[in-house]
Amino acid sequence: MTDPNERFVLIHEGRSMYYVGDALGHRYNGRDTIAVYADDQPMTPLHRPGWYAADSVGPHEITVRIPVPDRVVRYTLVDPTAESVRFPSVLTVEEYRKRADDGSDVWCAMYSPDREPVDPHVTTVPGPWTVLTDAPHLPDDRVGQWAPSLPTELTRRPEYHFLFPGLLWGLRAALRERIQQMPYVTYCENKDRRLEVWIDVPLQVPEHEWYTPVQMGRRRPKPVQRQITVKRQLSLAVPDGVSGDSYSAARTMWDEQVAHWTGIVTSASAKGCNTCHGRGYVIDGAEEHNRA
């Protein structure tokens, strides 16, 4: 697994494609006015957010130029013929704000701001850069369906898909198969994005009862003996997938989810108490009628 602080550059067909989204941060992603440079040469934004391409082979020094709004340096009287003691031809920013604080719109109508450009904020994207030239070894025990978030240039390079953020799908279906094989589980199905689980557990000290099975025909069936069990039902809100910054990170979350949900089923499969038959209270004499 790569270091989560590492960033990636894919060198392909004479171009270097960099992933710098984590360095830009959520405040800057998606803003067309942001410019990314490789060795002071403009880079081309790719279809996937956070990816930029340089038309030469790197690694390069990557810098980001974030625009800063123009600065107001003074306020000038719109109509010079209206100049007077009350309305001087020029106001400083402080003078204008002080007069405009009275809440009157006259100052906005009489004066216009004079602006000057401000140099953009320049930040350097630090490394280390992981150069993607050879495919990593794929995990031997892969689970689920991995859907990485990649630029178009990488969608046809499956050998790198496990290094990038994405979603690992199929958790609910995998858990359904897993829970169906657990002791005492008699039913486990996916309904309305939840796993409905039925469990029949025996008593701590096995007990049996006689019952007459249902049978068609004239001949009356013979009573048979069966073990007394406690019936329990669970409704588990299992997600269909988990996300991660890489396949390895998502796989760790996957294993934690499997352990969590199977642990709930295991706890619910504890054998029932003989005294209360798993009800949590004892039915005896008149108390039975009171609880009915």
Side-chain angles (χ1 to χ4, degrees):
M1 179 178 178
T2 57
D3 189 317
N5 294 322
E6 287 184 340
R7 299 183 179 92
F8 301 94
V9 51
L10 171 64
I11 299 176
H12 181 62
E13 297 181 354
R15 302 181 80 199
S16 296
M17 291 167 279
Y18 290 84
Y19 178 71
V20 297
D22 54 344
L24 299 181
H26 68 278
R27 292 175 300 171
Y28 307 134
N29 280 341
R31 286 180 52 180
D32 297 335
T33 53
I34 292 175
V36 182
Y37 291 79
D39 296 336
D40 294 327
Q41 296 300 314
M43 300 181 71
T44 303
L46 303 179
H47 293 296
R48 291 281 183 168
W51 280 90
Y52 293 81
D55 293 328
S56 60
V57 175
H60 307 80
E61 182 183 54
I62 307 300
T63 56
V64 181
R65 299 182 184 180
I66 304 168
V68 178
D70 293 343
R71 179 172 56 240
V72 177
V73 294
R74 68 183 69 82
Y75 286 85
T76 303
L77 193 64
V78 175
D79 182 4
T81 63
E83 182 180 357
S84 64
V85 175
R86 184 184 181 193
F87 298 111
S89 61
V90 176
L91 290 175
T92 65
V93 174
E94 292 74 16
E95 290 172 336
Y96 176 84
R97 290 176 180 173
K98 182 178 180 180
R99 299 186 184 206
D101 281 343
D102 64 2
S104 174
D105 294 335
V106 66
W107 301 103
C108 182
M110 294 290 291
Y111 287 86
S112 63
D114 293 337
R115 305 176 186 272
E116 66 179 16
V118 180
D119 292 337
H121 175 70
V122 179
T123 181
T124 301
V125 181
W129 294 99
T130 298
V131 179
L132 303 179
T133 55
D134 297 315
H137 295 290
L138 304 183
D140 293 331
D141 58 343
R142 284 173 282 170
V143 300
Q145 179 182 356
W146 179 241
S149 176
L150 297 171
T152 303
E153 287 77 4
L154 273 178
T155 56
R156 295 182 296 274
R157 302 295 295 272
E159 64 269 29
Y160 301 126
H161 289 186
F162 295 87
L163 292 175
F164 296 92
L167 296 172
L168 190 56
W169 295 102
L171 176 62
R172 195 182 306 123
L175 265 171
R176 174 179 172 272
E177 294 183 6
R178 178 79 170 268
I179 293 174
Q180 283 178 328
Q181 305 302 319
M182 296 181 68
Y184 310 132
V185 173
T186 59
Y187 176 87
C188 181
E189 291 295 336
N190 182 8
K191 291 187 176 181
D192 298 327
R193 299 182 180 180
R194 305 176 73 91
L195 287 182
E196 302 296 333
V197 183
W198 297 355
I199 307 172
D200 280 357
V201 296
L203 300 177
Q204 292 173 344
V205 178
E207 295 183 15
H208 296 79
E209 63 183 357
W210 289 95
Y211 84 105
T212 303
V214 177
Q215 181 175 322
M216 302 299 293
R218 296 182 179 180
R219 180 176 299 179
R220 183 173 181 177
K222 295 181 179 180
V224 296
Q225 196 177 39
R226 66 179 177 185
Q227 189 178 47
I228 297 176
T229 60
V230 177
K231 299 183 182 297
R232 295 171 181 149
Q233 187 171 348
L234 302 174
S235 182
L236 308 178
V238 179
D240 194 36
V242 294
S243 61
D245 291 333
S246 66
Y247 173 86
S248 297
R251 177 60 191 273
T252 298
M253 180 62 69
W254 177 290
D255 293 339
E256 290 175 356
Q257 286 285 305
V258 170
H260 171 73
W261 296 110
T262 55
I264 292 177
V265 176
T266 299
S267 298
S269 300
K271 292 184 177 181
C273 170
N274 287 72
T275 304
C276 66
H277 280 200
R279 298 183 182 89
Y281 57 86
V282 178
I283 298 179
D284 186 18
E287 186 177 355
E288 178 177 2
H289 300 284
N290 292 333
R291 295 186 181 274

